[in-house]
Amino acid sequence: MASDPHRDPSFSASSRRSFVRTLAAAGLGALAAPSLANWARAAEDASAKSPQRKIGIALLGLGGYAGGQLAPALQQTKLCRLAAVVTGTPSKGEKWQRRYDLPASAVYSYETFDRIADNKDVDVVYVVTPNALHRDFVIRAAKAGKHVICEKPMATTVEDCDAMIAACKDAKRQLAIGYRLHFEPYNIEAARLGTSKAMGPVKTIKSEHSFVGSGGTWRFNKRLAGGGPLMDVGIYSLQAACYVTGEEPVGITAKEWPKTDPERFAEVEETISWTMEFPSGARAECRTSYNEEANYLHVDAADGWFELSPAFSYRGVGGKTSRGAMNFPRVTQQALQMDGFARTLLHGEPNIVPGEMGRRDVRLLLSIYEAARTGKRVAV
Ligand code: NAD
């Protein structure tokens, strides 16, 4: 099995080059190979040019994703380090301070957060709170002079997205969305196969991302989440359809399915399916639920097919095509994602998951809800 460059401290320049060769040999072409090759080269360049300079990241909202995925991934980055935390719970702050050896001055509450402006160790604030709270924290971070990574979905309204983009622009700070799969080799390959028409033009995409949620958390609260599974995990199928076609949909139809548990799903949808029509004629048929288990992407093109299963997980993404198996190295997506943003800040590389992409997706998510509510095709 291929080694994980972020787990292996001996992952040297030469092994990085062979990692890139492995990807190329495994079929990564025009779109993916350069971006992963750039990643490897840039990591080498960065450590050669400025061995001490790492991007300091403050995690804001120390819940499941920040604690379970982002903090461990930060330890595997080449170009970033955990520089501060922001939490509403003092005991969590103390725990994180001890665990990650942070100075007491690097632990902020939501009330003292604005003082982060004076902390030169912090370059980036990474907002990992419930969706509806992203807006205010992103704006406060930008006003404090920090670059921002904001978790998906970017917000619960397009107006919020506009305000967040404007605040970062005014402060001359970069804004990225936590779209980790843009840094994951199998998804990059699916995007390459689709956009390069390696198997002919894409005809139909089928995708579902669903899980059984036990209820009672902010994810089931319309005000905090903005909606149900669509806002949370359905967004991955929407994203995949866009990066596989390289297009944005022009028309959406949707249907919300009857609730089998009206109490648990009092405020948000239980299951919703939708169809997106793309300018090329491709169609994406997607579904998401908090009461089913599914995680796949299947693409039929004119001369073959390709699929990822599971498609959207943190680990163990797998894939095959009508021409054979895909075989890519295992990576820590969030480490590559944060190093990618660090390269944007350190070397001026393009920010490939900008706020504008987050805004596009929020607009599409809300169009799906509108199509389901009205029963009519929504032109977007
Ligand atoms: P979580 O419930 O585990 O954590 C949320 C954190 O926000 C907690 O620390 C909580 O204390 C804090 N918080 C602050 N104000 C709150 C309030 N009013 N109500 C509830 N919590 C509040 O959630 P999570 O799974 O960590 O998700 C956080 C964000 O990260 C969401 O936007 C989610 O969509 C996103 N996320 C992204 C991924 C990914 O793969 N990119 C995965 C999981 C979650």
Side-chain angles (χ1 to χ4, degrees):
M1 184 179 297
S3 67
D4 175 344
H6 289 280
R7 289 226 172 82
D8 181 0
S10 66
F11 194 73
S12 62
S14 70
S15 46
R16 265 188 215 106
R17 277 191 292 275
S18 84
F19 171 55
V20 172
R21 273 200 301 274
T22 310
L23 293 176
L28 272 172
L31 183 90
S35 80
L36 284 164
N38 284 347
W39 160 73
R41 212 177 314 110
E44 283 164 26
D45 290 352
S47 45
K49 274 187 209 149
S50 48
Q52 261 84 56
R53 177 78 177 110
K54 284 196 169 189
I55 294 295
I57 296 191
L59 289 177
L60 185 155
L62 307 180
Y65 192 56
Q69 305 302 326
L70 295 177
L74 260 169
Q75 309 302 308
Q76 298 178 37
T77 55
K78 302 289 178 205
L79 303 173
C80 305
R81 67 186 190 90
L82 181 66
V85 292
V86 189
T87 176
T89 315
S91 59
K92 264 195 219 169
E94 285 162 23
K95 208 173 115 200
W96 277 65
Q97 187 194 334
R98 277 197 305 276
R99 177 151 189 194
Y100 292 103
D101 200 18
L102 295 167
S105 58
V107 180
Y108 297 87
S109 68
Y110 296 137
E111 290 71 35
T112 62
F113 168 50
D114 305 286
R115 287 190 214 145
I116 209 163
D118 302 325
N119 189 337
K120 300 287 172 265
D121 291 340
V122 174
D123 303 285
V124 174
V125 174
Y126 196 148
V127 176
V128 206
T129 59
N131 309 338
L133 309 179
H134 293 172
R135 174 199 166 124
D136 285 354
F137 287 123
V138 167
I139 292 173
R140 284 170 69 183
K143 285 193 173 150
K146 305 303 178 187
H147 302 284
V148 189
I149 308 176
C150 174
E151 259 316 318
K152 46 55 59 180
M154 180 174 175
T156 54
T157 69
V158 174
E159 294 71 31
D160 284 0
C161 296
D162 286 336
M164 295 154 82
I165 291 169
C168 291
K169 207 169 167 194
D170 288 351
K172 299 191 170 46
R173 289 295 171 262
Q174 292 276 349
L175 171 59
I177 308 303
Y179 285 140
R180 58 188 163 79
L181 293 171
H182 287 249
F183 301 84
E184 192 285 313
Y186 288 84
N187 279 268
I188 292 173
E189 173 66 349
R192 184 193 74 80
L193 290 171
T195 55
S196 69
K197 302 187 173 52
M199 297 194 174
V202 169
K203 298 291 182 195
T204 314
I205 297 169
K206 292 200 169 81
S207 181
E208 176 170 356
H209 194 194
S210 297
F211 71 96
V212 178
S214 52
T217 71
W218 65 265
R219 283 187 162 77
F220 295 76
N221 175 311
K222 177 86 194 299
R223 187 183 65 78
L224 285 171
L230 180 62
M231 297 300 271
D232 191 22
V233 287
I235 189 171
Y236 288 98
S237 295
L238 181 156
Q239 268 264 311
C242 293
Y243 55 70
V244 163
T245 56
E247 299 176 22
E248 297 186 10
V250 289
I252 293 177
T253 50
K255 175 179 166 63
E256 183 181 343
W257 295 84
K259 293 177 184 181
T260 62
D261 186 344
E263 203 178 313
R264 187 163 31 134
F265 299 104
E267 297 192 18
V268 300
E269 78 277 6
E270 179 177 326
T271 303
I272 189 166
S273 51
W274 74 99
T275 301
M276 295 188 282
E277 306 153 20
F278 289 89
S280 59
R283 286 166 72 82
E285 291 164 19
C286 308
R287 178 179 171 99
T288 184
S289 173
Y290 271 161
N291 215 2
E292 300 171 1
E293 295 287 346
N295 185 336
Y296 72 88
L297 170 72
H298 179 93
V299 182
D300 284 311
D303 306 322
W305 54 263
F306 50 98
E307 67 182 21
L308 304 183
S309 177
F312 311 120
S313 308
Y314 302 144
R315 289 170 205 87
V317 174
K320 56 187 177 184
T321 79
S322 48
R323 295 172 191 170
M326 294 184 192
N327 185 16
F328 295 111
R330 301 203 176 277
V331 300
T332 300
Q333 301 163 22
Q334 294 87 350
L336 295 180
Q337 173 209 325
M338 289 187 273
D339 273 345
F341 193 51
R343 289 201 311 279
T344 296
L345 304 180
L346 291 168
H347 306 303
E349 284 190 21
N351 171 7
I352 62 168
V353 285
E356 287 75 10
M357 181 185 280
R359 179 195 190 276
R360 173 200 72 186
D361 295 344
V362 170
R363 184 167 147 260
L364 293 174
L365 294 168
L366 297 178
S367 298
I368 293 168
Y369 284 129
E370 185 190 337
R373 195 175 55 249
T374 60
K376 299 206 170 97
R377 177 184 183 276
V378 173
V380 283

